[in-house]
Amino acid sequence: MSKALLAYGYAARIPVVVLTVFAIRGNWGTHYDALPPGFSETSFWTRYIQTALVPQLIFWITFTVVVGTLFGSIATAIRGRQNVGAPVHREA
């Protein structure tokens, strides 16, 4: 399950990281290039690493895997409890 979540995390976040390069360079004025309150103006690469690369490829992927695994485990445990005592059908 974690491998699938990791693959999904990268598949969802890599396009955002690429898009953010263009948004910051082009000064689009969207949430992709907006700075958080109190964030001082820095060079392109410093801003990109601090506001896009690290959050997207480290925080959000870790969040996706951890939370997805947690809820997947809970769902599996609930599903497993529902099957306890159920008759097993075997073909002869």
Side-chain angles (χ1 to χ4, degrees):
M1 181 176 357
S2 293
K3 288 180 184 180
L5 287 167
L6 186 63
Y8 164 73
Y10 279 116
R13 296 299 166 188
I14 287 174
V16 173
V17 169
V18 171
L19 183 66
T20 304
V21 170
F22 297 109
I24 293 173
R25 282 280 187 209
N27 200 18
W28 290 356
T30 66
H31 66 286
Y32 290 109
D33 63 330
L35 292 174
F39 195 89
S40 61
E41 274 300 321
T42 58
S43 70
F44 168 79
W45 287 109
T46 302
R47 179 179 175 185
Y48 177 71
I49 290 168
Q50 291 178 344
T51 63
L53 204 61
V54 170
Q56 293 295 329
L57 295 183
I58 297 188
F59 174 76
W60 284 113
I61 290 176
T62 302
F63 179 85
T64 299
V65 172
V66 170
V67 173
T69 300
L70 174 67
F71 280 94
S73 298
I74 292 169
T76 301
I78 291 170
R79 176 79 174 161
R81 291 179 86 193
Q82 291 175 350
N83 290 335
V84 171
V88 177
H89 298 287
R90 296 183 188 175
E91 294 189 28

